[in-house]
């Protein structure tokens, strides 16, 4: 074990061990049980936590959440953030929300640039992956304002990190589930995106297509399956319904849906208007629309992740960016497969 930043006496008191025992552990001397070494390691972890709590006491932070997303998603994330704020104590965190369902890249950049002057102490952002957005994030970090990207990344920027699922793996998971349902049928698949500008959606689609190709190489027919894409709907129901109706009228062989960008209620409505059915429908995020569709068994499965855990991690990463925490453990959000029978 490496030398600790704490005095032997402090570690011994925390672990309930003698100073001599702790000294032997810290210097990797023989004759110490593994259980004792684990107790010393845990004591150091506990001391780190206590130091963090002392640093946070009395600190106040103002964080901004900037999102371009349908209201059903941004509203659910806002609820998650607000529910997690008390768990960040003893730090006091206040939040401002800047949501828009539609908008141009210049409009998003304008919002981010304003936060340099307002001023913000940290920003959680869901935005298109463009050079202009990346530059705006860089301007925030140059001003000492840490930025965390959420749900869809802007990796070329100087953001302190990304929070969310591994989107390529999510697309691969969707392909796997879809192939189990479709089995040996040659049904075509409707793939719906809200915008090609969101890296997260692009990665899901890439993962989905790649997994279908691989299924073809191991005896499946995924590589032969026709995919019909619709995009630039921004996930809005009215636009989604219009685009899906057009796709269905042009492609009578569509019997499955992979919804990457949302608008699932509108997609289901389009099928019903034309008297069409589908074998499988896979979507993302357990928002209110998808919960109802699952209850009604109008969609097959939803790939979800814990928004509250995401919100908590994003805020802790921003606090770390402000020097209030250290060693915040980061990891991709686990992908949960939700069906009508296991909804939380």
């Amino acid at each position: 074990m490496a030398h600790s930043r704490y005095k032997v006496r402090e570690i011994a008191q925390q672990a309930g061990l003698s100073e001599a025992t702790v000294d032997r552990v810290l210097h990797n001397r023989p004759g110490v049980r593994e259980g004792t070494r684990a107790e010393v390691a845990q004591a150091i972890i506990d001391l780190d936590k206590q130091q963090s709590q002392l640093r946070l006491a009395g600190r106040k932070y103002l964080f901004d959440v900037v999102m371009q997303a349908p209201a059903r998603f941004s509203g659910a994330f806002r609820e998650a953030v607000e529910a997690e704020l008390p768990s960040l104590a003893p730090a006091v965190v206040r939040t401002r929300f800047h949501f828009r369902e539609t908008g141009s890249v210049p409009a998003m950049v304008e919002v981010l640039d304003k936060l340099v002057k307002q001023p913000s102490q940290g920003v959680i952002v869901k935005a298109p992956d463009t050079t202009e957005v990346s530059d705006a994030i860089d301007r925030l970090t140059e001003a000492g304002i840490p930025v965390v990207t959420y749900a869809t990344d802007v990796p070329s920027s100087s953001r302190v990190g990304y929070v969310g699922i591994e989107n390529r793996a999510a697309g691969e998971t969707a392909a796997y589930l879809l192939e189990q349902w479709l089995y040996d049928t040659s049904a075509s698949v409707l793939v719906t995106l809200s915008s090609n500008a969101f890296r997260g959606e692009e990665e899901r689609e890439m993962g989905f297509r790649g997994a279908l190709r691989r299924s073809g190489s191991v005896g499946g027919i995924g590589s032969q399956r026709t995919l019909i894409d619709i995009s630039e709907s921004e996930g809005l129901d009215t636009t989604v319904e219009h685009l899906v109706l057009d796709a269905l009228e042009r492609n009578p062989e569509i019997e499955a849906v992979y919804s990457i960008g949302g608008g699932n209620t509108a997609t289901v409505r389009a099928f019903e208007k034309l008297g069409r059915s589908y074998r499988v429908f896979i979507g993302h995020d357990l928002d209110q629309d998808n919960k109802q569709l699952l209850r009604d068994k109008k969609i097959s499965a939803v790939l979800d992740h814990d928004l509250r855990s995401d919100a908590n991690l994003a805020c802790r990463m921003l606090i770390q960016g402000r020097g209030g925490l250290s060693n915040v453990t980061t990891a991709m959000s686990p992908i949960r497969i939700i069906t009508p029978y296991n909804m939380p």
Side-chain angles (χ1 to χ4, degrees):
M1 183 177 292
H3 286 285
S4 170
R5 51 194 164 278
Y6 301 107
K7 294 179 180 179
V8 171
R9 181 183 295 109
E10 291 178 291
I11 300 171
Q13 288 174 342
Q14 183 68 34
L17 299 170
S18 70
E19 293 182 27
T21 298
V22 171
D23 186 73
R24 285 201 298 275
V25 171
L26 293 178
H27 290 88
N28 292 312
R29 296 194 178 106
V32 181
R33 293 183 299 108
E34 284 304 311
T36 301
R37 294 184 186 278
E39 289 176 5
V40 172
Q42 184 60 51
I44 293 172
I45 291 171
D46 292 341
L47 286 169
D48 283 341
K49 290 180 179 176
Q50 292 167 21
Q51 287 285 81
S52 293
Q53 293 293 302
L54 289 172
R55 286 199 302 271
L56 289 176
R59 291 205 182 188
K60 297 181 179 180
Y61 299 95
L62 176 60
F63 295 152
D64 289 272
V65 183
V66 181
M67 279 193 172
Q68 181 181 323
R72 58 181 173 270
F73 181 81
S74 57
F77 188 66
R78 177 174 187 153
E79 290 177 3
V81 170
E82 292 174 339
E84 285 300 304
L85 293 182
S87 70
L88 301 171
V92 177
V93 177
R94 293 186 299 114
T95 49
R96 297 181 297 201
F97 297 92
H98 314 266
F99 295 156
R100 58 179 64 220
E101 289 196 304
T102 62
S104 63
V105 167
M108 172 63 71
V109 169
E110 182 181 0
V111 172
L112 294 174
D113 282 342
K114 283 182 179 178
L115 298 180
V116 176
K117 301 175 182 178
Q118 284 188 339
S120 178
Q121 293 179 297
V123 180
I124 302 169
V125 61
K126 178 182 182 296
D129 178 23
T130 68
T131 301
E132 294 85 355
V133 170
S134 179
D135 290 345
I137 291 174
D138 290 347
R139 288 191 288 274
L140 284 164
T141 59
E142 287 167 7
I145 301 169
V147 177
V148 170
T149 53
Y150 180 59
T152 182
D153 200 6
V154 186
S156 61
S157 71
S158 55
R159 87 285 190 272
V160 298
Y162 163 76
V163 173
I165 60 173
E166 186 176 344
N167 285 298
R168 186 183 292 268
E172 292 170 336
T173 302
Y176 173 79
L177 294 174
L178 183 135
E179 285 300 288
Q180 303 311 301
W181 264 298
L182 293 182
Y183 191 50
D184 58 354
T185 68
S186 59
S188 296
V189 183
L190 180 67
V191 181
T192 66
L193 301 95
S194 66
S195 173
N196 288 314
F198 287 109
R199 173 174 284 267
E201 293 193 15
E202 179 185 37
E203 290 174 342
R204 291 176 187 178
E205 184 183 21
M206 291 170 61
F208 183 73
R209 288 179 177 274
L212 287 182
R213 284 197 300 273
R214 290 192 295 276
S215 79
S217 67
V218 293
I221 63 172
S223 60
Q224 305 164 29
R225 202 176 297 287
T226 301
L227 304 184
I228 295 94
D229 289 353
I230 62 172
S231 63
E232 306 312 318
S233 68
E234 299 191 279
L236 302 178
D237 282 357
T238 302
T239 310
V240 169
E241 184 174 347
H242 171 75
L243 291 172
V244 173
L245 283 169
D246 181 66
L248 291 177
E249 289 171 344
R250 292 171 179 270
N251 301 276
E253 71 281 4
I254 292 174
E255 295 184 61
V257 179
Y258 175 36
S259 171
I260 294 175
N264 298 339
T265 298
T267 299
V268 169
R269 190 162 56 239
F271 273 87
E272 291 174 344
K273 280 186 175 182
L274 296 179
R276 296 274 292 276
S277 61
Y278 43 86
R279 294 172 179 268
V280 56
F281 192 132
I282 298 170
H284 280 271
D285 303 318
L286 200 60
D287 55 36
Q288 292 302 316
D289 284 4
N290 283 338
K291 285 180 181 178
Q292 189 59 53
L293 291 170
L294 280 171
R295 291 189 192 101
D296 296 339
K297 297 184 181 178
K298 292 187 175 181
I299 57 177
S300 312
V302 170
L303 303 181
D304 186 48
H305 48 111
D306 189 335
L307 295 187
R308 288 188 58 169
S309 294
D310 290 349
N312 185 285
L313 175 58
C315 287
R316 288 188 292 113
M317 289 170 68
L318 292 180
I319 292 172
Q320 177 171 264
R322 303 293 302 187
L325 285 172
S326 57
N327 300 318
V328 172
T329 301
T330 61
M332 293 287 186
S333 304
I335 301 168
R336 306 186 298 188
I337 301 172
I338 308 297
T339 73
Y341 302 100
N342 69 335
M343 272 201 299

